[in-house]
Amino acid sequence: MKRKTFGPVTSQHVAQHAGVSQSAVSRTFTPGASISPATREKVLQSARELGYRPNALARSLNTARSRIVGVVISCFDNPFYPHVLEALGRELDALNYHLLLFVSDRDSNVDRIFDQIMQYRVDGIVLASGALSDALSEECHGAGIPVVLFNRTAESEMASSVNTDNRAAARQIAEFLLAGEHQRFACITGANNASVNQLRLDGFREALRARNIDVTVLAGQNDSEQTAQAARQLFSSGTPPDAVFAVNDHMALTVMDVARYEFGLRIPQDVSVVGYDDVGPAGWPSYALTSICQPVEVMVQRTIGLLMQQIDSAVMAPEQIVIPGTLVVRHSARRPRHGVVEENGQLLFRSEEVE
């Protein structure tokens, strides 16, 4: 008869029901442990009848491994990060690891997030929060917890990271817009404390300064309303830009909406808009945003591979992985006469600089 209980079913209940030792139950649910097929089947049958599920957190006390990887993310209004989170979940699940999400905001306290991480005995951390990158990675490093920064660079040499080549990709955007014969350039930046934001701005500026061209820079702070205000300021000026680079797609789409619906501008005839990330709405026909593609699946694979290497070896040798980005050409920007090629059904821009 199936056991009726209002409390949790424990391994001791299963052992009693199956007539085996508690250690036999533990070995049954430990991958690679030695146990006879007959005993294993007896334990599994009792577990099914009782509705038993092994407690992963309790098992971690014995194995010193929780098989949990913490992921710290802050910008969920940016569609890039839900896409990243989904890819991380799939990659970790394939390795029999579990993802534990920690949500931070721009004002998150490092001590609070670190205390939460320590409470759950995570085996490693993927850190994708610009506001916490350096301070939190140093705290985790001091506690012996491997950390890999995703889409972030670290000022400290102790942390590993995986990024696209932000500076080179932003230079490529400038080369693309210059090839399209644009004259007046603007850049809308993200959070001031995000390393990738500064790298993208620097790369864009460098390519334009090489031609003695100035760029108007306004802060969007990864916020829709602040980005809209920045766009209004640009388009209401006496000399509005005819090319705008927003350092992520989330802000680029807002710029497009303001240009079209508040100022009646035609895209790309009156103004070209380019973003960075190439996820979600960027490919929708209503936006058709020209954008730097960050290869999320590849970045996630390299991130988890690097993290597992550190977890398995217990050695936290820092490594910085940089992956090339690709400029995907759609209809939000004026197309240059040269440099656009078709590959695998997509139009891409290949400037001389990145050949």
Side-chain angles (χ1 to χ4, degrees):
M1 179 181 293
K2 190 171 182 179
R3 178 180 177 272
K4 304 291 185 183
T5 179
F6 292 103
V9 179
T10 68
S11 61
Q12 185 175 2
H13 294 138
V14 175
Q16 292 171 350
H17 187 275
V20 300
S21 67
Q22 197 167 349
S23 65
V25 177
S26 177
R27 292 197 304 276
T28 297
F29 292 99
T30 301
S34 175
I35 189 167
S36 71
T39 301
R40 181 177 185 277
E41 181 53 39
K42 187 185 297 185
V43 170
L44 291 176
Q45 180 63 33
S46 292
R48 283 192 292 268
E49 291 182 15
L50 297 178
Y52 170 74
R53 295 291 185 275
N55 188 323
L57 291 177
R59 189 164 63 236
S60 72
L61 296 175
N62 297 322
T63 63
R65 285 280 186 89
S66 66
R67 301 199 75 81
I68 295 174
V69 168
V71 178
V72 183
I73 293 180
S74 56
C75 301
F76 275 101
D77 49 352
N78 183 343
F80 177 70
Y81 286 104
H83 184 44
V84 168
L85 187 62
E86 181 181 357
L88 284 169
R90 287 196 303 267
E91 191 73 15
L92 289 169
D93 184 65
L95 297 172
N96 195 30
Y97 268 79
H98 307 285
L99 183 154
L100 182 61
L101 177 64
F102 297 92
V103 180
S104 68
D105 54 38
R106 294 171 187 166
D107 301 318
S108 283
N109 181 277
V110 171
D111 292 335
R112 180 179 65 81
I113 296 292
F114 180 68
D115 287 345
Q116 292 177 359
I117 289 171
M118 294 302 293
Q119 287 175 26
Y120 287 94
R121 299 172 58 89
V122 300
D123 291 341
I125 289 287
V126 176
L127 184 51
S129 173
L132 297 175
S133 295
D134 290 316
L136 186 56
S137 63
E138 289 182 9
E139 290 277 6
C140 291
H141 187 276
I145 302 173
V147 176
V148 178
L149 274 59
F150 183 92
N151 198 37
R152 294 286 180 269
T153 58
E155 294 180 5
S156 168
E157 296 182 355
M158 293 187 298
S160 296
S161 63
V162 176
N163 290 278
T164 49
D165 194 335
N166 292 281
R167 189 188 298 268
R171 286 199 301 264
Q172 189 180 16
I173 290 172
E175 294 291 336
F176 169 80
L177 293 171
L178 287 165
E181 301 180 355
H182 294 81
Q183 304 294 320
R184 301 177 306 279
F185 298 83
C187 180
I188 295 185
T189 63
N192 293 331
N193 55 8
S195 55
V196 295
N197 171 75
Q198 190 61 49
L199 289 170
R200 293 171 191 177
L201 173 59
D202 289 346
F204 191 63
R205 271 178 163 164
E206 286 168 5
L208 294 175
R209 283 176 176 170
R211 306 282 189 91
N212 294 317
I213 298 173
D214 292 328
V215 54
T216 301
V217 179
L218 294 177
Q221 296 293 341
N222 297 328
D223 177 80
S224 293
E225 184 51 40
Q226 289 193 56
T227 301
Q229 291 176 5
R232 292 178 190 120
Q233 184 176 339
L234 288 174
F235 297 134
S236 61
S237 69
T239 54
D242 62 356
V244 179
F245 166 43
V247 298
N248 61 48
D249 288 356
H250 174 54
M251 294 191 298
L253 301 179
T254 299
V255 172
M256 292 180 70
D257 285 342
V258 170
R260 284 170 169 167
Y261 304 120
E262 296 187 28
F263 289 84
L265 298 174
R266 298 169 301 163
I267 297 174
Q269 294 90 338
D270 298 322
V271 60
S272 292
V273 181
V274 180
Y276 199 117
D277 286 336
D278 191 37
V279 292
W284 295 357
S286 56
Y287 288 107
L289 178 65
T290 294
S291 179
I292 290 289
C293 175
Q294 296 210 78
V296 170
E297 302 295 336
V298 175
M299 293 173 69
V300 164
Q301 289 170 6
R302 299 295 299 274
T303 297
I304 297 304
L306 187 54
L307 190 66
M308 291 299 128
Q309 178 183 330
Q310 295 184 5
I311 290 172
D312 292 338
S313 67
V315 175
M316 291 184 287
E319 183 177 348
Q320 281 69 47
I321 295 175
V322 178
I323 300 169
T326 305
L327 182 53
V328 179
V329 178
R330 297 193 182 92
H331 301 302
S332 70
R334 198 158 65 226
R335 193 171 300 173
R337 289 192 291 268
H338 304 288
V340 176
V341 298
E342 184 174 353
E343 293 183 12
N344 300 320
Q346 281 189 317
L347 293 178
L348 309 177
F349 179 70
R350 303 293 191 191
S351 67
E352 293 180 0
E353 179 179 344
V354 297
E355 287 296 334

